[in-house]
């Protein structure tokens, strides 16, 4: 990805090479949310806006400039950033809120991405299970707020792994997610997903994915996912709103097909258009 030359800081553009945080600013409470842009569209905008409202509520903060009027102000600033950086095709936009007392500051930056849209990876990815940490169940475990620390730890361990992604387990040793992504196991017409009651993260793509399963007459259910389940599955996919659908080809000596996944991906892209 190619980072944009400008960052929008509280409404004013600053060259990326000149933007700096003071020590005090770096220590301020903050959170980020990502958007995917595809040409003139921002898929999952309304869903991401609801997440922003929820996170601001948890932090006891308000920012009506972005959250009011169905996010019209936010969308305008995202589009300004894309235009300034000449990212007219495909990009990932990162919005960061920082809290200084009762004041809310924000930055928006964009990175050009290839491919432009959601394309299924032709080269399947390999997964492993990360064992040194176990995710606990909490009121925040289904959100990024309660999951990010586990994703960051997984990112540190992936450096020493031959896998492309590491799966995270809960305190009962059940698989709950891949970093920033939901995991789905396919066997025939049955699709198994992890349950938020077990600590699984819920990505904003989930309602759309469940709609696709229904369109394709796939029977979705949620239950505990164990290592034997990985070995019994015929197909395995991980999904999020930034990277879309990714086909998993292997877990240790197990290999997976992608026939149903291709159909799911076709429907996913149709939903993005309509």
């Amino acid at each position: 990805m190619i980072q944009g030359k400008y960052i929008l800081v509280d409404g004013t553009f600053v060259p990326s090479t000149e933007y700096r945080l003071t020590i005090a600013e770096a220590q301020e409470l903050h959170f980020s949310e990502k958007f995917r842009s595809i040409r003139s569209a921002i898929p999952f905008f309304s869903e991401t806006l609801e997440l922003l409202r929820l996170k601001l509520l948890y932090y006891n903060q308000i920012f009506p400039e972005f959250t009011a009027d169905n996010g019209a102000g936010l969308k305008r600033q995202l589009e300004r950033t894309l235009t300034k950086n000449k990212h007219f095709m495909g990009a990932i936009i990162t919005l960061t809120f920082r809290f200084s007392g009762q004041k809310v500051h924000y930055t928006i930056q964009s990175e050009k991405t290839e491919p432009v849209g959601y394309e299924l990876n032709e080269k399947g990815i390999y997964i492993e299970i990360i064992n040194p940490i176990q995710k606990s169940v909490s009121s925040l475990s289904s959100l990024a707020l309660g999951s990010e620390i586990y994703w960051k730890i997984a990112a540190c361990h992936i450096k020493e792994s031959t896998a492309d992604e590491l799966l995270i387990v809960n305190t009962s040793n059940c698989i709950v997610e891949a970093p920033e992504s939901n995991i789905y196991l396919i066997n025939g017409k049955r699709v198994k997903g992890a349950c938020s009651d077990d600590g699984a993260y819920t990505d904003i793509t989930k309602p759309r994915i469940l709609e696709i399963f229904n369109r394709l007459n796939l029977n979705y259910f949620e239950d505990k996912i164990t290592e034997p389940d990985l070995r019994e599955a015929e197909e395995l996919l991980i999904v999020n709103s930034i990277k879309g659908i990714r086909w998993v080809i292997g877990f240790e000596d197990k290999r997976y097909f992608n026939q149903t996944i291709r159909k799911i991906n076709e429907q996913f892209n149709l939903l993005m258009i309509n």
Side-chain angles (χ1 to χ4, degrees):
M1 291 186 290
I2 302 175
Q3 185 176 358
K5 294 182 178 181
Y6 296 92
I7 297 177
L8 188 64
V9 183
D10 291 336
T12 301
F13 284 110
V14 175
S16 300
T17 54
E18 298 179 10
Y19 178 64
R20 299 289 186 275
L21 287 175
T22 65
I23 293 176
E25 289 171 332
Q27 294 175 340
E28 288 171 350
L29 194 62
H30 66 277
F31 73 83
S32 298
E33 202 65 58
K34 292 182 179 181
F35 300 79
R36 178 77 181 261
S37 73
I38 302 175
R39 297 181 176 88
S40 60
I42 302 178
F44 301 103
F45 176 81
S46 59
E47 293 89 341
T48 308
L49 177 63
E50 286 305 310
L51 274 182
L52 288 174
R53 287 177 175 146
L54 181 60
K55 289 182 178 181
L56 287 167
L57 176 64
Y58 281 158
Y59 282 115
N60 195 30
Q61 301 285 345
I62 60 171
F63 200 71
E65 294 93 327
F66 280 1
T67 56
D69 195 22
N70 296 318
L74 170 58
K75 182 172 285 188
R76 184 162 51 250
Q77 299 305 336
L78 297 180
E79 291 170 345
R80 283 185 65 205
T81 305
L82 292 170
T83 301
K84 184 70 173 179
N85 287 320
K86 298 181 180 179
H87 289 160
F88 302 116
M89 300 300 285
I92 294 174
I93 316 166
T94 302
L95 164 66
T96 300
F97 282 121
R98 293 186 181 276
F99 309 118
S100 178
Q102 292 302 308
K103 292 184 178 180
V104 180
H105 301 279
Y106 72 88
T107 60
I108 301 176
Q109 51 191 314
S110 63
E111 297 175 278
K112 180 181 177 182
T113 184
E114 296 289 350
V116 172
Y118 293 117
E119 291 186 11
L120 184 65
N121 53 312
E122 290 299 325
K123 181 181 178 182
I125 64 175
Y126 290 84
I127 57 171
E128 288 182 0
I129 298 172
I130 180 171
N131 293 312
I133 56 165
Q134 293 181 320
K135 186 181 181 184
S136 57
V137 181
S138 74
S139 58
L140 297 176
S141 56
S142 64
L143 300 172
L145 285 177
S147 307
E148 285 174 333
I149 184 61
Y150 301 97
W151 301 343
K152 290 177 180 178
I153 292 173
C156 292
H157 284 267
I158 197 71
K159 300 173 185 177
E160 301 174 353
S161 171
T162 57
D164 302 294
E165 287 284 1
L166 297 178
L167 302 185
I168 296 168
V169 299
N170 63 12
T171 52
S172 299
N173 250 357
C174 295
I175 297 157
V176 289
E177 67 208 46
E180 303 181 58
S181 306
N182 291 154
I183 179 172
Y184 302 98
L185 284 62
I186 302 175
N187 274 304
K189 286 290 186 178
R190 290 167 58 83
V191 183
K192 184 176 185 179
C195 180
S196 59
D197 290 342
D198 290 323
Y201 165 68
T202 303
D203 189 71
I204 56 176
T205 56
K206 188 173 181 178
R208 305 276 187 102
I209 292 296
L210 297 191
E211 180 181 344
I212 291 169
F213 292 161
N214 185 57
R215 287 187 180 189
L216 297 176
N217 295 316
L218 298 171
N219 301 313
Y220 176 75
F221 69 102
E222 293 180 351
D223 202 351
K224 299 182 185 302
I225 299 177
T226 62
E227 186 171 331
D229 291 324
L230 296 184
R231 298 190 179 282
E232 292 173 6
E234 297 170 355
E235 301 185 39
L236 197 155
L237 64 153
I238 57 179
V239 188
N240 67 35
S241 62
I242 302 302
K243 296 183 178 179
I245 293 171
R246 286 181 291 163
W247 162 49
V248 176
I249 190 174
F251 166 66
E252 296 181 349
D253 59 348
K254 171 70 179 183
R255 295 296 179 266
Y256 302 99
F257 301 107
N258 65 4
Q259 294 177 344
T260 303
I261 291 174
R262 288 184 179 278
K263 297 176 183 179
I264 294 171
N265 189 68
E266 289 174 4
Q267 292 294 320
F268 188 81
N269 279 283
L270 286 174
L271 283 176
M272 296 305 103
I273 296 173
N274 299 323

